Amino acid sequence: MHSQKSFDQEEGKGTLFIVPTPIGNLEDITIRALNVLKSVEQIAAEDTRNTKRLLNHFEIMKPLVSYHEHNQTQRESMLLDVLKEGKDIALVSDAGMPAISDPGNQLVQAVIREDIAVVVLPGANAALCALVGSGLDTTHFYFYGFLPRKKKDRKQAFEFLERITDTILLYESPYRIADTLQEIADNLGDRQVSVARELTKRFEEYIRGTVQEVIEWLETGTVKGEFCIVIEGNSDVKETEEVWWNELSVIDHVTYYIEKDNMKDKEAIKQVALDRKLPKRDIYQIYHVD
């Protein structure tokens, strides 16, 4: 168990602030975010060039250090040393909330292990804007983020998503949006969807309709900027049959295959993912990390 009193930090330790940045409109940054960026000792940024432009706009002069998916392991110990010296750090990504389809989660985990406070500021997030503006059900939703690139992994992802009854949120680039929408049609059917682009910017646009209607829009529409795809959940899911592993935890399920069927860890995780219709990375995370 771990308990954190965010604003009663142990003397001699700094705080890691997770600071969302605007996803397009600079006016969306909060007063609190600006105050934190002005007060911290150092800012860890996904791309220091992008963050420098943001800081210059608000006349904030603070040391910047890069922290992205290719160097996060190397940067971790350095940032931890700064925090242990009692200095505060702000973590930002290029846009939106760090650690959500952006680097940051690994650092948060490391900081928590060191019993250092992590304070998350509220702020801009593309997925929630797209969800609320979609007109689809917001009661429950499943955020998936970016689909995997490899064909085999994408197939497994769609097998998982096909059974979700809640509204589904995806991110996609303008270069793959057409292919992804066609895959949605092929794997999930011609459901209601909403595609949002250029959120919060001057050319913000929502395209709402069936998957096929949106695919047709792509032929003449403006395909620029990052896209959020909001997909209607599956209303036709049948009750799942009782299965032998239903009462097992994910860890016990993997362990069963290792001990009873002499599978290696990798093989057992793959089989559990197939059984439960979950992405392999989720099973791996539960078994090896959580």
Side-chain angles (χ1 to χ4, degrees):
M1 191 191 92
H2 181 273
S3 175
Q4 171 186 307
K5 292 185 177 179
S6 297
F7 302 103
D8 189 18
Q9 176 71 313
E10 181 182 331
E11 187 175 351
K13 290 184 178 180
T15 296
L16 175 66
F17 290 93
I18 309 299
V19 182
T21 52
I23 59 176
N25 191 323
L26 290 180
E27 293 181 0
D28 289 334
I29 198 161
T30 67
I31 294 172
R32 184 182 175 201
L34 292 174
N35 287 336
V36 167
L37 293 175
K38 291 174 183 177
S39 68
V40 295
E41 185 73 20
Q42 192 172 70
I43 299 172
E46 183 181 7
D47 187 323
T48 55
R49 294 166 300 179
N50 287 342
T51 301
K52 187 71 173 177
R53 286 193 286 270
L54 175 71
L55 297 180
N56 285 342
H57 181 83
F58 290 106
E59 300 181 346
I60 299 172
M61 304 296 293
K62 285 291 175 177
L64 281 172
V65 60
S66 65
Y67 179 84
H68 48 72
E69 61 179 331
H70 303 298
N71 75 352
Q72 54 187 345
T73 300
Q74 299 94 307
R75 281 280 188 259
E76 187 178 293
S77 59
M78 183 270 283
L79 294 172
L80 284 173
D81 286 343
V82 173
L83 292 166
K84 289 175 182 176
E85 291 172 2
K87 299 173 182 177
D88 296 336
I89 294 174
L91 175 68
V92 301
S93 61
D94 285 350
M97 178 68 77
I100 301 296
S101 289
D102 274 318
N105 183 244
Q106 181 175 313
L107 180 60
V108 169
Q109 292 175 345
V111 169
I112 290 172
R113 285 195 296 269
E114 295 292 336
D115 200 28
I116 296 171
V118 177
V119 174
V120 183
L121 276 61
N125 177 269
L128 292 180
C129 290
L131 171 65
V132 175
S134 71
L136 297 174
D137 184 20
T138 61
T139 309
H140 301 286
F141 57 90
Y142 184 88
F143 174 76
Y144 190 92
F146 287 99
L147 289 163
R149 294 288 189 90
K150 294 182 180 178
K151 186 175 181 180
K152 184 178 179 182
D153 292 337
R154 287 175 79 88
K155 182 177 183 298
Q156 190 176 57
F158 276 115
E159 288 175 353
F160 166 64
L161 294 173
E162 194 275 333
R163 298 192 61 80
I164 291 179
T165 58
D166 303 323
T167 303
I168 300 165
L169 309 179
L170 302 178
Y171 285 155
E172 193 50 277
S173 79
Y175 310 106
R176 293 188 296 273
I177 185 68
D179 290 340
T180 296
L181 283 168
Q182 188 58 58
E183 286 181 277
I184 291 170
D186 294 341
N187 290 278
L188 307 184
D190 196 24
R191 301 187 191 180
Q192 290 291 317
V193 296
S194 172
V195 173
R197 72 176 194 90
E198 297 283 74
L199 285 170
T200 76
K201 300 178 185 177
R202 169 69 179 82
F203 297 103
E204 175 178 290
E205 186 173 14
Y206 286 87
I207 303 92
R208 307 178 182 97
T210 65
V211 181
Q212 288 300 334
E213 287 172 339
V214 177
I215 290 173
E216 290 172 11
W217 170 85
L218 287 174
E219 296 175 6
T220 56
T222 303
V223 185
K224 289 183 179 179
E226 296 300 311
F227 284 79
C228 289
I229 307 173
V230 185
I231 310 168
E232 178 185 26
N234 189 348
S235 59
D236 297 323
V237 173
K238 305 290 190 299
E239 287 295 320
T240 55
E241 297 178 5
E242 188 69 25
V243 289
W244 64 267
W245 46 261
N246 202 45
E247 300 299 322
L248 295 180
S249 68
V250 169
I251 293 174
D252 288 341
H253 195 170
V254 174
T255 302
Y256 175 89
Y257 283 123
I258 293 172
E259 295 180 350
K260 302 294 184 181
D261 293 351
N262 296 316
M263 288 185 179
K264 296 185 181 299
D265 288 10
K266 186 176 180 181
E267 295 172 326
I269 288 170
K270 180 180 178 181
Q271 186 57 52
V272 171
L274 290 172
D275 288 348
R276 293 176 179 257
K277 292 183 168 46
L278 291 172
K280 275 192 301 185
R281 66 169 182 267
D282 290 358
I283 304 301
Y284 181 93
Q285 175 78 15
I286 294 170
Y287 186 73
H288 281 298
V289 180
D290 296 349

